[in-house]
Amino acid sequence: MMRSPQVDVPFEVRHHCWFCGEPCNLQFDYHALPHTSHPSLAVPACKECVELAKQTPLTSIYECRVAVKDALMKRYAKHLAIGLNWTEEELQQADFTCKTLQSFQRSAWFMYEVARDRVNFPGWLLVLNGVPLEDHTPETGFAFDGVNYSSLFVAIEHVSKAMALDKDFVAAIVAITGKQRFAYAIRLARLHIAADKATKRQVIRELTEDHALAN
Ligand SMILES: [Zn+2]
């Protein structure tokens, strides 16, 4: 597949992941589909965020970022909880006697800070060849069936769970149909609720071809 043009990277964050701010030497290629609100582009990204982003491109790089942050939050929930349960001083002063807890005491705050900073890292404005993308502060909230979700990703998770659908399959369909046709995507996923992996892949392929023809 063709490489996408890389966004401009401010000097102070060069070699840092756009998603989480960690040092990095990879990039994540976002291939725009007809309904994507921005052109294909690539952002610098760490290995972990590239893997996460590939799983949920959704319908824009911004929605993809919400999903990546969400996945990071889940993966590092234990590290993030340290900051909820302790202050740095309390942790230092805690009188741990067992060896395991002593090593926890030494590393815990650092792990918390790393996880917190990755989740909070705001990224930077996306500029392609000197031209800023129109969508500077994108609204990623998403409403479906009268419920406001914080993001399309959260909506997919919630609805898939509630209807016992394959979340990845739903996300793949939505990436092609766009979120405007979310209800259709859900219907399609329900139709194939018992389908095996090969059939689902076939559905995605046909959907991709239909969309290529329609546009
Ligand atoms: Zn990252």
Side-chain angles (χ1 to χ4, degrees):
M1 210 177 257
M2 243 175 64
R3 302 229 83 173
S4 310
Q6 203 195 47
V7 299
D8 300 356
V9 180
F11 186 76
E12 66 278 13
V13 285
R14 69 198 189 286
H15 311 309
H16 285 269
C17 174
W18 181 73
F19 296 96
C20 77
E22 284 285 289
C24 72
N25 56 9
L26 299 173
Q27 61 172 32
F28 171 62
D29 277 274
Y30 193 100
H31 299 285
L33 290 164
H35 53 76
T36 308
S37 59
H38 55 76
S40 290
L41 52 83
V43 292
C46 70
K47 190 160 180 279
E48 187 174 15
C49 290
V50 167
E51 292 308 320
L52 292 170
K54 272 186 195 160
Q55 287 168 28
T56 39
L58 300 174
T59 62
S60 75
I61 184 79
Y62 304 105
E63 279 168 347
C64 180
R65 172 165 65 181
V66 172
V68 168
K69 298 275 191 190
D70 195 76
L72 287 175
M73 248 185 270
K74 282 194 187 129
R75 188 171 285 179
Y76 295 104
K78 278 193 183 143
H79 295 182
L80 291 166
I82 292 163
L84 293 174
N85 296 324
W86 301 85
T87 66
E88 190 172 11
E89 290 70 33
E90 282 170 351
L91 194 58
Q92 275 166 3
Q93 287 156 15
D95 189 15
F96 293 124
T97 44
C98 98
K99 279 225 153 52
T100 316
L101 283 176
Q102 281 168 359
S103 91
F104 168 79
Q105 186 172 23
R106 277 193 299 275
S107 58
W109 197 258
F110 176 72
M111 294 190 307
Y112 161 66
E113 285 183 323
V114 169
R116 177 200 62 195
D117 292 349
R118 292 183 73 195
V119 166
N120 288 344
F121 185 71
W124 57 88
L125 294 183
L126 296 181
V127 177
L128 264 182
N129 303 318
V131 183
L133 294 194
E134 278 173 76
D135 228 358
H136 274 173
T137 46
E139 179 51 62
T140 51
F142 178 70
F144 175 67
D145 238 6
V147 181
N148 291 314
Y149 298 96
S150 59
S151 70
L152 176 62
F153 175 75
V154 171
I156 290 173
E157 272 207 327
H158 182 89
V159 174
S160 300
K161 198 170 175 196
M163 296 183 168
L165 299 172
D166 175 346
K167 179 177 67 128
D168 296 333
F169 184 48
V170 174
I173 298 173
V174 172
I176 302 163
T177 62
K179 60 183 168 184
Q180 293 76 9
R181 300 180 69 205
F182 192 77
Y184 167 75
I186 296 297
R187 271 204 311 279
L188 195 58
R190 291 193 80 169
L191 272 176
H192 296 91
I193 194 159
D196 56 16
K197 276 207 163 101
T199 311
K200 285 174 182 170
R201 272 198 300 274
Q202 180 63 25
V203 170
I204 297 296
R205 253 198 312 276
E206 283 171 9
L207 208 53
T208 309
E209 282 162 15
D210 288 351
H211 271 256
L213 287 175
N215 287 280

